Amino acid sequence: MASQIAPSVLSADFSRLGDQIQSVADSGGEVLHLDVMDGHYVPNLTFGPLLVRAMRKMTDMVLEAHLMISEPDLYIDNFISAGADIVLVHPSTCSSVKDTLNSIKAQGVKAGLVVNPDEKLSIVEPYFSEMDQLLIMSVVPGFGGQSFMPEVLYDLPQMSQSLMENDVLVEIDGGINMTTIGAVLDKGINRFVAGSAVFNEHASPGENFSTLQNLVVSGR
Ligand code: DX5
Ligand code: ZN
């Protein structure tokens, strides 16, 4: 599978969100990462299904909802009917991880689990056969613009074979930029979330996306 950058709109200028999303789409962006925060599971608030529905109208890109919320089971259906194509949940927020994954997939969208830096990657091993994706957090969830934590990948090599056998897409989220991306290439990671490295003042979102995507494709 080709490796790809997934821009996170968390750092976008929401006063011109449509233009910012169009900019990455025009540069070949295929997946948009949506950080949903409830001010409870994480100490920050972002947006809910209403804005996902609006973004669904703005773009044909794959919409990946990263739910950093307590009791996601209460809201998952709303995110799916709003247009999310992929739903990612933190296992500790689900009353039954298996049931949550299966109910997401039963609605025809992809389901994944997220592991925080203070959790072991092995906590998701029992669910490999039910998951479409594993999202490894390389910052403590809650805010964009934090520093990349390389230690979150120490246990990945021993799981790589099993992840591949189960066809689980591996994704990393947090602190990925032009400088840090070199450290996460060639490690079996398929998707790289980038928020502040894509949406910033230095260049257009599309230009920043292309710079990162070229580094991923060239493997440097
Ligand atoms: C953090 C979010 C990340 C964040 C990444 O809680 O899950 O997706 O937007 O932002 P950067 O790329 O700036 O670290
Ligand atoms: Zn995220």
Side-chain angles (χ1 to χ4, degrees):
M1 176 192 316
S3 298
Q4 58 191 177
I5 298 290
S8 161
V9 296
L10 185 60
S11 296
D13 177 351
F14 277 66
S15 69
R16 48 195 180 113
L17 189 55
D19 292 345
Q20 301 243 297
I21 292 173
Q22 192 60 46
S23 177
V24 289
D26 287 345
S27 293
E30 292 176 353
V31 180
L32 207 56
H33 184 86
L34 312 181
D35 287 307
V36 176
M37 306 186 188
D38 67 351
H40 186 250
Y41 177 67
V42 289
N44 194 8
L45 268 175
T46 57
F47 53 83
L50 197 67
L51 201 63
V52 174
R53 191 177 294 279
M55 286 189 268
R56 180 71 291 160
K57 289 188 184 164
M58 295 173 194
T59 184
D60 291 331
M61 288 174 74
V62 171
L63 299 182
E64 173 177 272
H66 172 192
L67 303 187
M68 288 162 274
I69 63 177
S70 302
E71 301 199 69
D73 296 313
L74 299 178
Y75 306 101
I76 282 167
D77 292 1
N78 296 337
F79 284 100
I80 293 173
S81 62
D85 300 295
I86 303 168
V87 177
L88 307 172
V89 295
H90 288 255
S92 69
T93 62
C94 306
S95 46
S96 159
V97 175
K98 250 178 206 178
D99 288 351
T100 299
L101 291 171
N102 286 328
S103 88
I104 295 169
K105 290 193 303 179
Q107 298 184 65
V109 304
K110 293 199 168 151
L113 294 177
V114 193
V115 179
N116 285 337
D118 66 350
E119 295 171 331
K120 290 217 166 296
L121 286 184
S122 57
I123 63 167
V124 296
E125 245 166 347
Y127 311 108
F128 277 2
S129 58
E130 268 99 20
M131 318 162 42
D132 296 304
Q133 275 181 228
L134 164 63
L135 177 62
I136 302 170
M137 291 306 301
S138 41
V139 297
V140 176
F143 299 92
Q146 302 182 73
S147 298
F148 174 69
M149 301 168 73
E151 63 271 24
V152 301
L153 293 177
Y154 288 171
D155 293 338
L156 184 59
Q158 65 213 50
M159 297 173 79
S160 289
Q161 181 69 23
S162 179
L163 285 162
M164 259 194 298
E165 282 166 10
N166 284 282
D167 215 10
V168 178
L169 181 146
V170 181
E171 180 173 28
I172 190 155
D173 183 7
I176 300 297
N177 56 41
M178 324 298 178
T179 310
T180 57
I181 196 149
V184 293
L185 299 176
D186 301 323
K187 291 200 163 16
I189 301 170
N190 314 103
R191 189 174 293 162
F192 308 84
V193 177
S196 51
V198 169
F199 298 100
N200 58 46
E201 302 293 308
H202 301 303
S204 73
E207 286 164 340
N208 287 325
F209 168 82
S210 294
T211 304
L212 284 166
Q213 182 66 37
N214 288 338
L215 290 172
V216 165
V217 170
S218 64
R220 282 182 286 120

